Amino acid sequence: MARVFVDQIKIHARAGKGGDGSVHFHRGKFRPRGGPDGGDGGWGGDVILTVDPSTDSLRHFFFNGRLLAQDGATGGGNECTGRSGDDATFKVPPGTVISRLTQVENDETGEIETKSELVADLTETGATFVLCKGGKGGKGNVHFKTSTNQAPRENTPGVPGEEGDFHFELRSIAEAGLVGFPNAGKSTLLSKLSAAKPKIANYPFTTLQPMVGVIHFDEFHRGTMADIPGIIEGAHANIGLGHEFLRHIMRCRILLFVVDTAGSEGRDPISDLETLRKEVKLYSTELAKRPWCIIANKVDLAESDENLVHLQERFKRIKILPISANEGTGMDSLRKYLESKIARPIA
Ligand SMILES: Nc1nc2c(ncn2[C@@H]2O[C@H](COP(=O)(O)OP(=O)(O)OP(=O)(O)O)[C@@H](O)[C@H]2O)c(=O)[nH]1
Ligand SMILES: [Mg+2]
């Protein structure tokens, strides 16, 4: 599947350094010159990523591009191991792809180039990934006692934590996403354009999970389209599982707003579109800036004629594609339009 990246950022991460081993000698009331009892340093904390669907972009890393975990503490007397540094855990949205960036010298030109190497593709909710491992603590002097050296002053320092530059990218689920109220005909449309077989029914929220279909334009080109569950007024405030559905929309490059042009069940396509646009904008101004167009569906129904004229008057500068997903009207123009926007060469 063609990949489109909608969100990416460069990150520097450093795990905690291990604590140094301690040099210490036992001091008891009756043993003023006791043996070595310096303990080991604690482990440095790890930098950990966890896949959390409550976050939908990598935006939060924009203000915090340095991910640091705590250092381990130095060992103590009485063979006490130092405290381990706390791990630092950061949330990433499902679909985050992590690459390690390293500077390498080009053998031929001698120029320094950045090499990018994939280290993780994080998709499963709840999955965790250790981006940088904390360093091991050093050894305390208790380990250095020998028959000839009863009072060693040796220890080892803690190992530095892993450190590196990374590239985080949020992979999109599809190039085009169908956005609309329940029952607008999104699933019907996807089933007509692709081989996907989404469930279609005359009741709201038939679709609860996004489904991606592949549209074949010709032998060499195709594009992807996601059928996304319907969103309703208040979706930005999480009404009707709004956040869950808007999150999927975040991962589409172009938004196709599907409306029931006939205004069945007392709906009005203009106010439907205004509401949908408002919800998208309130959820994310970045999302509202993505390219979009209107798919005016159900033009086979009589009430659609007048509404279509009003829709065109209201959204003069926006591309409007009148179709009937059920009867196939307007599908050729829609395909041509999509081809110009989302067709990619088959890899
Ligand atoms: N008359 C007419 N009905 C249509 C058309 N397209 C879809 N429908 C009907 O509208 C109803 C809803 O269709 P779906 O494709 O399930 O709608 P949806 O937008 O996916 O709905 P949700 O998954 O609930 O968000 C079904 O009864 C379809 O048969 C059309 O072009 N004309
Ligand atoms: Mg559906």
Side-chain angles (χ1 to χ4, degrees):
M1 188 176 96
R3 286 182 169 190
V4 178
F5 298 104
V6 294
D7 203 351
Q8 52 181 314
I9 194 155
K10 198 177 152 188
I11 293 288
H12 184 80
R14 193 182 72 218
K17 176 184 166 296
D20 296 339
S22 150
V23 175
H24 191 270
F25 296 95
H26 182 79
R27 272 182 226 113
K29 206 168 174 188
F30 305 107
R31 292 185 62 205
R33 286 157 55 85
D37 70 351
D40 299 342
W43 277 92
D46 298 340
V47 175
I48 296 173
L49 304 177
T50 166
V51 181
D52 186 332
S54 72
T55 172
D56 62 20
S57 85
L58 300 171
R59 250 170 318 178
H60 52 294
F61 291 111
F62 188 76
F63 301 102
N64 179 25
R66 288 175 63 80
L67 315 184
L68 307 175
Q70 201 182 29
D71 293 342
T74 306
N78 207 13
E79 297 186 30
C80 280
T81 301
R83 208 178 59 79
S84 293
D86 290 335
D87 293 337
T89 303
F90 299 90
K91 293 176 185 173
V92 294
T96 303
V97 179
I98 314 279
S99 308
R100 183 191 305 278
L101 303 175
T102 36
Q103 304 288 330
V104 285
E105 198 182 308
N106 184 311
D107 290 344
E108 284 163 23
T109 64
E111 277 172 30
I112 301 293
E113 293 173 351
T114 303
K115 194 180 106 200
S116 168
E117 171 205 2
L118 180 79
V119 291
D121 188 344
L122 302 173
T123 47
E124 293 289 315
T125 294
T128 58
F129 175 71
V130 178
L131 186 66
C132 290
K133 179 100 191 82
K136 195 172 190 297
K139 285 192 185 327
N141 68 341
V142 64
H143 299 286
F144 292 93
K145 184 177 163 184
T146 60
S147 54
T148 51
N149 187 358
Q150 297 288 315
R153 303 203 63 85
E154 278 163 78
N155 69 337
T156 56
V159 175
E162 290 176 354
E163 180 168 8
D165 289 318
F166 298 91
H167 189 230
F168 289 13
E169 286 179 327
L170 182 58
R171 191 178 55 224
S172 69
I173 50 174
E175 277 129 89
L178 298 171
V179 183
F181 269 84
N183 267 345
K186 303 177 292 299
S187 300
T188 308
L189 177 58
L190 185 76
S191 73
K192 294 290 162 78
L193 288 172
S194 74
K197 303 228 172 330
K199 188 169 159 192
I200 295 163
N202 190 20
Y203 53 82
F205 297 113
T206 307
T207 305
L208 285 170
Q209 290 290 331
M211 181 181 268
V212 179
V214 179
I215 306 172
H216 291 271
F217 295 108
D218 60 36
E219 255 178 282
F220 308 107
H221 296 88
R222 62 183 182 186
T224 49
M225 179 186 268
D227 175 22
I228 294 164
I231 63 170
I232 55 174
E233 172 133 46
H236 75 278
N238 207 18
I239 292 174
L241 289 178
H243 283 182
E244 176 139 339
F245 304 159
L246 283 156
R247 203 169 53 234
H248 300 308
I249 300 172
M250 282 295 278
R251 293 175 63 194
C252 301
R253 193 169 56 84
I254 295 180
L255 310 185
L256 312 176
F257 285 79
V258 184
V259 284
D260 177 338
T261 319
S264 319
E265 296 153 24
R267 306 208 66 91
D268 166 38
I270 291 184
S271 76
D272 279 1
L273 255 172
E274 286 170 344
T275 306
L276 290 168
R277 289 297 303 164
K278 187 185 79 189
E279 292 301 326
V280 163
K281 201 171 185 169
L282 288 172
Y283 183 70
S284 157
T285 48
E286 189 216 315
L287 186 61
K289 286 186 200 140
R290 300 244 173 104
W292 65 286
C293 73
I294 299 167
I295 297 183
N297 192 27
K298 306 198 186 179
V299 296
D300 54 291
L301 300 177
E303 301 84 344
S304 66
D305 293 352
E306 206 185 320
N307 286 343
L308 185 59
V309 174
H310 291 154
L311 206 56
Q312 282 157 339
E313 279 167 5
R314 168 67 182 80
F315 295 96
K316 282 202 180 69
R317 290 190 304 187
I318 304 296
K319 177 79 179 170
I320 300 180
L321 295 134
I323 64 156
S324 165
N326 263 6
E327 301 195 345
T329 324
M331 294 299 259
D332 287 344
S333 317
L334 174 59
R335 272 184 154 275
K336 280 213 181 67
Y337 177 78
L338 290 173
E339 186 171 3
S340 71
K341 298 289 175 191
I342 66 166
R344 296 274 179 276
I346 294 172

